[in-house]
Amino acid sequence: MSASLAPECNEVKEKYDNCFLKWYSEKFLRGISTNDECKPMFDAYEKCLSKALSERGIDKMLAEVRQDNKENDAEHMKPTK
């Protein structure tokens, strides 16, 4: 597994990664489950990462880049026919 962008989130990211890989390989690929049982762990990681990005001011830069690329995103996210 790779480390988190925020070292303080490494532990929660590792828990999520392990959960997801186990669920994906043992349940999803075998058609046993389509519900992501690891979502609560992902939410915890996302919360930790968002806090870390905010504390470093990176969240503002991301918002700015997203705004600047809104048209590009819309073009590339169009459904394919």
Side-chain angles (χ1 to χ4, degrees):
M1 306 305 145
S2 61
S4 174
L5 294 172
E8 61 268 37
C9 300
N10 281 342
E11 186 177 328
V12 71
K13 181 184 184 299
E14 184 178 348
K15 286 179 184 177
Y16 168 70
D17 285 348
N18 288 333
C19 179
F20 180 81
L21 289 174
K22 183 175 180 172
W23 168 80
Y24 186 76
S25 63
E26 294 178 9
K27 294 184 180 178
F28 182 78
L29 289 178
R30 295 177 183 183
I32 297 170
S33 173
T34 56
N35 294 329
D36 184 357
E37 301 164 4
C38 305
K39 179 143 176 39
M41 286 179 227
F42 176 78
D43 292 343
Y45 174 56
E46 185 177 41
K47 182 179 178 181
C48 180
L49 190 58
S50 292
K51 181 180 179 217
L53 294 177
S54 178
E55 288 171 353
R56 292 169 174 87
I58 297 171
D59 61 333
K60 292 178 183 117
M61 287 187 279
L62 287 173
E64 198 175 289
V65 168
R66 286 181 180 131
Q67 184 62 35
D68 290 347
N69 288 288
K70 207 177 232 182
E71 290 177 20
N72 262 351
D73 290 347
E75 178 67 26
H76 294 292
M77 297 301 285
K78 285 182 182 175
T80 56
K81 295 180 183 177

